Amino acid sequence: MSEKLVSTSSAQEMRRHIERAVLEAADYLDRAVNSGEELDVQVKPDKTLVMNLDLESQRRILAALGSSYPIVAEEDPASHTLIESSGSYFLVDPLDGTTSCKRFLGQRGGQVGFGPLVGLVQNNQLTVASFYSVPHRTLFTAARGEGTYALEFGASEPRLLKPKPCTDLGTAGVLFFVSPYGEARVIESLRTRNAIENVYRFGGFANDCSRLAQGFEQVQFQCNAKPWDFSAVLLAAEAGYEVICDPLGRRVPLRDWKIEMNNAVAIMHRDVVSDFFALVDSMK
């Protein structure tokens, strides 16, 4: 699997470090797909799933990252208190989209995506995110101020992702996840008013953000993104999207947001932001 990097700036080595960690887990997950490895599926206290694939992927990522920064890892609950502190740390989701992986392990191509995701927070700012989509065998990497790139398996060069702008909310495809925090109410209102074209959900949160970056959909709305998922917003932000945190409350731009344990976020082309929130406000 290629380890070619996507930038030549002064921060190249840190991105290379993060990508190597993601690719280390991706190699393992790709082999698991091909070997037909049996899945050991457990239900966690929060009713989400964890599999042997998650745990081994996390072990490999943590070993590859080393100790240059503290690490907040999904399957290491003791590390989660770092979110409440200020400073710099890695965010690790060893298998974003575990449920999708359980159902679609072995699928190639298509719309569903899942895989390892690693982000870097420096001085409370999300600066790097890297995600490998196992079904698509593609590495997506974003660095703050430098764009989002995709590197397909076997390709010699990464490609910069620059989706076409969306100027009409009525033509937008919307990605969302149903949690107890309000997504369904907002999406139902938008859909019944014919204010958007359609709604979808494909795999995990990182897959959603990579799809936005590629221009397949134009809006993402989620009221409960966990910290280890949240780093994927950088994939969309660096592709030119507006990221608004706490969209049903304070509406904080990404640059001013300090990551929390539960992060509400709306992502969309900046040309439809005012129309989107005018409709949301009219629901109150």
Side-chain angles (χ1 to χ4, degrees):
M1 183 177 298
S2 172
E3 292 187 3
K4 185 173 181 65
L5 287 188
V6 298
S7 175
T8 56
S9 75
S10 60
Q12 183 181 24
E13 186 52 42
M14 180 53 71
R15 287 190 292 281
R16 179 179 288 115
H17 184 57
I18 291 170
E19 287 190 327
R20 277 197 294 261
V22 169
L23 290 171
E24 181 69 25
D27 278 333
Y28 161 70
L29 292 167
D30 271 332
R31 288 196 300 271
V33 169
N34 295 326
S35 69
E37 181 174 338
E38 184 175 350
L39 299 182
D40 178 15
V41 183
Q42 305 292 328
V43 181
K44 295 189 288 188
D46 64 359
K47 306 303 180 184
T48 61
L49 302 182
V50 61
M51 302 188 295
N52 52 324
L53 301 186
D54 296 79
L55 299 176
E56 179 60 18
S57 176
Q58 179 166 293
R59 186 191 70 77
R60 290 169 182 256
I61 291 172
L62 268 55
L65 288 176
S67 58
S68 54
Y69 286 106
I71 300 174
V72 177
E74 179 179 8
E75 308 306 339
D76 178 14
S79 71
H80 297 177
T81 57
L82 285 169
I83 294 298
E84 301 170 2
S85 65
S86 298
S88 303
Y89 49 87
F90 291 115
L91 289 165
V92 173
D93 188 339
L95 182 48
D96 186 73
T98 296
T99 302
S100 296
C101 177
K102 172 179 173 287
R103 291 180 173 273
F104 298 101
L105 184 65
Q107 174 180 293
R108 290 298 188 192
Q111 297 160 319
V112 175
F114 50 83
L117 167 67
V118 176
L120 174 62
V121 175
Q122 293 177 300
N123 299 319
N124 295 319
Q125 287 287 312
L126 184 59
T127 58
V128 180
S130 190
F131 165 64
Y132 182 85
S133 177
V134 174
H136 304 102
R137 305 180 83 184
T138 299
L139 178 70
F140 299 91
T141 299
R144 188 174 61 177
E146 298 186 20
T148 298
Y149 291 80
L151 181 64
E152 290 88 0
F153 181 79
S156 60
E157 295 291 337
R159 57 186 174 91
L160 177 67
L161 300 180
K162 276 294 182 184
K164 294 179 180 178
C166 176
T167 58
D168 179 5
L169 188 61
T171 67
V174 181
L175 300 168
F176 80 109
F177 172 78
V178 177
S179 79
Y181 297 94
E183 295 96 343
R185 178 173 60 89
V186 171
I187 295 300
E188 181 183 15
S189 177
L190 294 174
R191 192 70 185 94
T192 55
R193 298 184 197 189
N194 292 315
I196 54 180
E197 187 170 276
N198 214 335
V199 294
Y200 309 90
R201 176 64 173 172
F202 302 117
F205 184 70
N207 186 60
D208 287 354
C209 293
S210 70
R211 288 185 64 84
L212 291 180
Q214 294 172 89
F216 296 141
E217 286 81 34
Q218 294 73 40
V219 178
Q220 210 276 355
F221 184 72
Q222 185 161 333
C223 294
N224 189 30
K226 295 298 183 183
W228 37 88
D229 299 329
F230 185 78
S231 61
V233 303
L234 198 63
L235 300 176
E238 287 298 319
Y241 288 78
E242 194 80 13
V243 178
I244 302 96
C245 303
D246 190 17
L248 300 182
R250 294 167 288 165
R251 296 181 185 167
V252 181
L254 178 62
R255 65 180 177 274
D256 298 325
W257 183 252
K258 185 177 182 296
I259 298 175
E260 302 176 351
M261 280 304 299
N262 295 304
N263 301 273
V265 62
I267 307 170
M268 66 198 77
H269 287 281
R270 53 181 55 91
D271 290 337
V272 299
V273 169
S274 59
D275 289 343
F276 180 88
F277 283 111
L279 288 163
V280 170
D281 289 340
S282 71
M283 294 168 49
K284 296 180 180 179

